[in-house]
Amino acid sequence: MKYEPTLPGPVFAAHYHLPGEPTGPYTYGRDENPTWSRLELAIGELEAPGRDDVETLAFASGMAAISALLFSRLRSGDTVVLPDDGYQALSLLREQLQVYGVEVRTAPTGGDAQLDALDGARLLWIESPSNPGLDVCDIRRLVEAAHARGALVAVDNTLATPLGQRPLELGADFSVASGTKQLTGHGDILLGYVTGRVRRGDDRRTSVAEDRRGDPRPDGGLAGAPFARHAPAPGRPAGRHRPGRRRSAAGPAGGDRAAPSRAARRPLHEVAARQMRRFGCVVSFTLPTRARAERFLEALRLVDDATSFGGVRSTAERRGRWGGDAVPEGFIRLSVGAEDPEDLVADVLRALEESAP
Ligand SMILES: *Cc1c(COP(=O)(O)O)cnc(C)c1O
């Protein structure tokens, strides 16, 4: 609109002018905020461009989004199928779900192994590519099998981002992600979101936010602070993939594969190439020992030894230091930043050489 700011500032209101009946878009800050609305609209356009039958809800973190979806869609007696190689905090939720009487089955992401666990399931949870192993599964195939059995499908899209993969176009009911990583790109904000279809038929459990009571966020107070909604707004270029990123990711770790660390990964690469437009900024590989991996990390100059991924600065870490991931001691997860690709490749090759025994 003419004379309106191109990037509106954050709205910090806890409550709004509200005479008469308490209705309308903005009533109380825990429920709705214009700054969240704009962010949710922008994410929705990335996840499902041109569709008006989807809705996005922003959350205080990726885990808040994941928890809200799992605990609002599942009831005692339901069965959920989780990946056994997904983000490590999923296993914490697994215990919680079991306490609430939800049956949890797990299977690996690779080889579409979750297919065999679907009978009688209420919800299938996919993480493709998985973190940190970068395994992929055929999302469309799993969605078809799950829907044929009446199960809903949620895809954790954190590793791919909506620029790399659009789960709703592949048939999934929900795309869920941590915006803490590549979506915001600066490593300075915790954020999560769920994008899903609005009401389908009368099944209220397929909708993200079909009515106030069905919206898991506001009453649970999971939404987070307005400023965190404002900062990642479009127009703050950060985690955007530069053309150079692909080259640099391809250099040290071996070609254009999504997950170059294991030799027998060609079929996975084909699945990834079919359903993804970009492979993202994370590469992972295994060095022979923990000591070698630690020397490698220490020898790097352009790459910080830090956790998380998707920032404009390159980072890497020995993932095994956290426990919880089924990875070898020398397993490295490296996030490619926006540095000059040639500098980055040179730094990684030098560190590999210097850390060799
Ligand atoms: C980081 C991450 C999460 C959790 O997100 P937070 O914003 O840290 O809560 C969930 N899934 C994947 C794949 C992640 O990498």
Side-chain angles (χ1 to χ4, degrees):
M1 296 299 150
K2 201 173 180 185
Y3 306 127
E4 284 191 5
T6 51
L7 180 60
V11 173
F12 292 115
H15 46 244
Y16 306 84
H17 291 290
L18 189 66
E21 284 299 307
T23 56
Y26 303 110
T27 55
Y28 184 59
R30 196 181 60 230
D31 297 339
E32 291 294 346
N33 173 299
T35 307
W36 306 345
S37 305
R38 282 193 292 268
L39 176 68
E40 289 166 347
L41 210 62
I43 293 174
E45 280 170 15
L46 293 173
E47 284 281 351
R51 282 178 59 168
D52 55 9
D53 60 338
V54 301
E55 196 162 357
T56 298
L57 287 179
F59 290 86
S61 69
M63 286 314 295
I66 292 172
S67 303
L69 191 55
L70 285 172
F71 288 101
S72 65
R73 301 304 122 176
L74 295 168
R75 305 280 184 274
S76 178
D78 283 348
T79 296
V80 61
V81 179
L82 302 179
D84 68 10
D85 50 359
Y87 185 61
Q88 55 170 302
L90 260 189
S91 58
L92 306 175
L93 292 185
R94 174 187 177 157
E95 285 159 33
Q96 200 61 45
L97 286 163
Q98 284 165 335
V99 167
Y100 290 139
V102 174
E103 184 191 329
V104 179
R105 295 184 199 143
T106 59
T109 300
D112 300 344
Q114 288 178 301
L115 278 176
D116 294 333
L118 285 178
D119 275 343
R122 173 72 205 157
L123 177 69
L124 166 64
W125 193 272
I126 290 172
E127 191 178 306
S128 178
S130 62
N131 177 12
L134 303 182
D135 263 330
V136 291
C137 58
D138 185 335
I139 295 176
R140 216 182 266 283
R141 181 175 177 219
L142 282 159
V143 164
E144 276 165 19
H147 284 173
R149 291 166 175 80
L152 294 168
V153 182
V155 177
D156 185 324
N157 206 29
T158 305
L159 264 282
T161 81
L163 290 185
Q165 174 171 277
R166 295 187 186 134
L168 267 59
E169 285 180 3
L170 300 169
D173 301 284
F174 304 103
S175 180
V176 190
S178 165
T180 311
K181 318 284 172 56
Q182 289 171 86
L183 192 79
T184 48
H186 292 273
D188 54 2
I189 285 164
L190 283 157
L191 184 73
Y193 69 87
V194 180
T195 301
R197 270 198 295 273
V198 192
R199 189 186 290 278
R200 189 179 68 187
D202 283 322
D203 184 352
R204 57 188 299 276
R205 286 203 269 171
T206 59
S207 164
V208 190
E210 68 289 346
D211 60 37
R212 276 266 70 84
R213 264 170 312 162
D215 178 348
R217 186 192 60 190
D219 297 335
L222 294 167
F227 188 71
R229 301 285 159 281
H230 171 67
R236 187 171 181 258
R240 280 215 308 249
H241 294 193
R242 299 187 327 158
R245 277 194 161 193
R246 249 169 77 185
R247 253 174 72 216
S248 55
D256 62 343
R257 300 172 187 208
S261 57
R262 288 169 231 168
R265 306 210 69 167
R266 197 76 216 168
L268 290 190
H269 175 255
E270 276 156 23
V271 174
R274 223 181 307 133
Q275 67 194 13
M276 299 178 72
R277 302 187 315 162
R278 297 158 193 257
F279 296 149
C281 65
V282 178
V283 288
S284 58
F285 48 93
T286 303
L287 295 175
T289 61
R290 171 181 174 160
R292 171 82 195 277
E294 284 169 347
R295 285 200 304 276
F296 167 73
L297 291 169
E298 193 153 335
L300 288 166
R301 288 188 202 129
L302 285 182
V303 183
D304 292 338
D305 188 345
T307 195
S308 198
F309 57 89
V312 286
R313 289 186 65 131
S314 292
T315 57
E317 70 171 334
R318 196 178 68 79
R319 196 59 195 167
R321 65 181 173 170
W322 294 97
D325 291 320
V327 292
E329 286 289 337
F331 181 96
I332 302 279
R333 187 182 68 188
L334 191 150
S335 169
V336 178
E339 298 88 353
D340 186 279
E342 269 157 40
D343 292 350
L344 201 53
V345 170
D347 194 43
V348 169
L349 291 177
R350 186 192 46 73
L352 279 173
E353 204 162 295
E354 278 179 21
S355 61

